[in-house]
Amino acid sequence: MATAGKVIKCRAAVAWEPNAPLMMEEIEVAPPQEGEIRIKVVATGVCHTDLYHLFEGKDKRGFPTVLGHEGAGVVESVGPGVTDFKPGDKVIPLFISQCGECRFCKYPKTNLCDRSWTSNNYDIMSDPTTRFTCRGQPILQFMGTSTFSEYTVINQIAVAKIHDDAPLDRVCLLGCGIATGYGAAVNTAGVTPGSVCAVFGLGAVGLAAVMGCKNAGASRIFAVDINEQKFKKAKVFGATDFLNPKAYNKPISEVLAEMTNGGVDFSLECVGNTEVMRSALESCVKGWGVSVLVGWTDMKDFSARPIQLISGKTWKGSLFGGFKSKDSVPKLVRDYMSGKIKLDEFITHKMSLEQVNDAINLMKTGECIRSILNISK
Ligand code: NAD
Ligand code: ZN
């Protein structure tokens, strides 16, 4: 490639500060260093976690940054020591790495890699090192990925090589939302055949959780959202019952308890709201109910009455659906290509990188499930 070893100047949407629209800028992307890969981003989804950082978390130390962490692309060049990737390979950037060597990678029950930015940078939501500059300033790489850019540089421990025939403008969704919700149901909750489930929040993450419950054999799946427009889609993914908490004058946990003879076997919170987290736990049946936190928030404490857990319920959380990222994403791509999991049905809008602020607004107002930004050919 003519660009290998050189700085690439390209378009990116920069978030200069919290609570402000992203700005289209020309940024400089440095060549990959030891163990790193420079990727030409082809397509990316917009996930609520991008909005969380911009409008909710708003930690100033996490700016300026290039958001986007649900992308897919093609390898442009590789740094010294990279042998598993070559220019032209199709890849998905991973917001949690899998180095394969740390204590966490070696432990079978977790996907938290010690070399990931998630180790100790939840506040700024990125590793302090970056290969991006703009107007003479370093620009952070959000969640280690930064897919709202034509090019990005990522360590090889956070890149998955995928099937050559995979459609990048769809499998990009496996870089976050769909793997997250699906895995939260099949891995973290461990949904069992014949069980009764409730999913709170029917964005892409929640709908993917519904799909996971269905694929795991759940017999009844309650889809819970305050936006009833989402119910039609939830049915497509396998939901059987639809509840709007605002339509009742008692807590939704009581409504669910009455409808299920005491509560659901599994509940998944896919909103990112501590009150909904509590409500999802309270909706589980005593004795064995399992509730999983999937929605992202780190701004305040959450609470529940101790008897909720003393009575035998389990409260868990899930990052990236519990999937060990580098091993699992190529398999999920194959599962999509063989029809085992859906992706196309999540996509409601297709846009260009220049329209990123419109895509963000669509999510804010609840009008989309997933918008895909086509970044380059
Ligand atoms: P989204 O904005 O598309 O969907 C959120 C849904 O929740 C919407 O349909 C909204 O109407 C609904 N909702 C809002 N308040 C509600 C309430 N009180 N009760 C019921 N439903 C309510 O978001 P998304 O992209 O699907 O992401 C969902 C959550 O998952 C976000 O918090 C996101 O940050 C988080 N997330 C977590 C991980 C992880 O690894 N744990 C990964 C990706 C996303
Ligand atoms: Zn995400």
Side-chain angles (χ1 to χ4, degrees):
M1 292 250 174
T3 45
K6 297 177 190 154
V7 170
I8 291 181
K9 290 188 177 183
C10 70
R11 288 178 311 130
V14 176
W16 288 103
E17 55 182 350
N19 248 335
L22 311 189
M23 304 279 284
M24 287 307 301
E25 302 278 1
E26 183 180 80
I27 65 162
E28 295 88 38
V29 180
Q33 298 184 10
E34 178 82 27
E36 294 177 347
I37 299 174
R38 189 159 58 185
I39 297 165
K40 180 178 183 176
V41 180
V42 172
T44 181
V46 177
C47 168
H48 200 109
T49 311
D50 300 309
L51 276 70
Y52 171 79
H53 188 63
L54 192 59
F55 301 118
E56 297 159 39
K58 295 190 289 192
D59 193 313
K60 282 211 157 93
R61 295 166 301 160
F63 293 82
T65 187
V66 172
L67 299 172
H69 60 281
E70 197 174 73
V74 173
V75 175
E76 174 269 340
S77 63
V78 300
V82 174
T83 53
D84 293 347
F85 295 85
K86 58 179 189 315
D89 283 349
K90 284 188 177 175
V91 291
I92 291 183
L94 304 167
F95 77 80
I96 318 188
S97 54
Q98 187 186 352
C99 75
E101 284 158 14
C102 71
R103 179 180 178 198
F104 297 86
C105 281
K106 284 188 173 150
Y107 191 76
K109 291 185 185 171
T110 183
N111 60 349
L112 296 177
C113 170
D114 222 8
R115 286 181 64 192
S116 180
W117 63 271
T118 54
S119 280
N120 42 27
N121 291 300
Y122 283 113
D123 293 341
I124 66 165
M125 297 196 78
S126 51
D127 195 292
T129 59
T130 172
R131 303 285 168 255
F132 291 174
T133 48
C134 180
R135 304 185 198 194
Q137 264 192 70
I139 307 290
L140 290 169
Q141 290 183 240
F142 180 66
M143 293 174 87
T145 50
S146 287
T147 55
F148 296 169
S149 170
E150 288 180 293
Y151 288 88
T152 187
V153 177
I154 303 178
N155 194 293
Q156 60 183 343
I157 62 172
V159 181
K161 185 165 155 174
I162 59 165
H163 199 289
D164 281 336
D165 297 332
L168 298 177
D169 60 351
R170 279 164 267 164
V171 297
C172 59
L173 294 178
L174 292 169
C176 181
I178 312 313
T180 295
Y182 185 73
V186 301
N187 299 328
T188 315
V191 171
T192 48
S195 60
V196 176
C197 302
V199 176
F200 291 72
L202 305 172
V205 174
L207 293 173
V210 170
M211 177 168 76
C213 294
K214 163 102 178 155
N215 281 16
S219 61
R220 202 171 175 194
I221 304 167
F222 289 88
V224 184
D225 202 301
I226 53 173
N227 177 352
E228 295 188 10
Q229 306 288 340
K230 308 275 177 143
F231 293 163
K232 210 170 137 202
K233 266 282 160 127
K235 196 166 184 187
V236 171
F237 290 101
T240 56
D241 298 76
F242 307 88
L243 297 177
N244 176 358
K246 287 195 168 162
Y248 297 88
N249 53 15
K250 56 183 160 189
I252 200 67
S253 54
E254 282 179 29
V255 176
L256 278 162
E258 282 164 17
M259 294 177 80
T260 59
N261 188 25
V264 302
D265 301 301
F266 300 97
S267 69
L268 297 111
E269 198 276 358
C270 304
V271 178
N273 173 319
T274 52
E275 291 304 317
V276 182
M277 292 172 179
R278 177 179 186 141
S279 169
L281 175 70
E282 290 171 348
S283 301
C284 283
V285 65
K286 67 184 178 197
W288 63 82
V290 176
S291 188
V292 181
L293 311 187
V294 192
W296 190 291
T297 184
D298 196 25
M299 281 152 26
K300 52 181 172 183
D301 293 352
F302 60 132
S303 60
R305 299 289 291 273
I307 197 67
Q308 289 289 325
L309 302 186
I310 295 168
S311 67
K313 301 184 189 182
T314 304
W315 215 1
K316 311 172 83 172
S318 184
L319 196 58
F320 196 55
F323 283 115
K324 285 195 184 275
S325 59
K326 227 170 139 78
D327 291 346
S328 305
V329 166
K331 288 185 196 148
L332 289 166
V333 167
R334 287 201 297 273
D335 285 347
Y336 163 66
M337 293 173 77
S338 69
K340 188 178 164 197
I341 58 173
K342 299 183 203 294
L343 290 182
D344 304 6
E345 290 78 357
F346 291 97
I347 301 169
T348 51
H349 298 77
K350 292 195 174 189
M351 302 176 144
S352 66
L353 179 56
E354 281 71 16
Q355 293 170 296
V356 62
N357 290 308
D358 298 336
I360 287 172
N361 279 332
L362 284 173
M363 179 165 272
K364 251 185 163 175
T365 54
E367 291 167 79
C368 68
I369 299 297
R370 273 299 190 257
S371 301
I372 301 291
L373 307 178
N374 288 302
I375 309 287
S376 49
K377 290 236 160 70

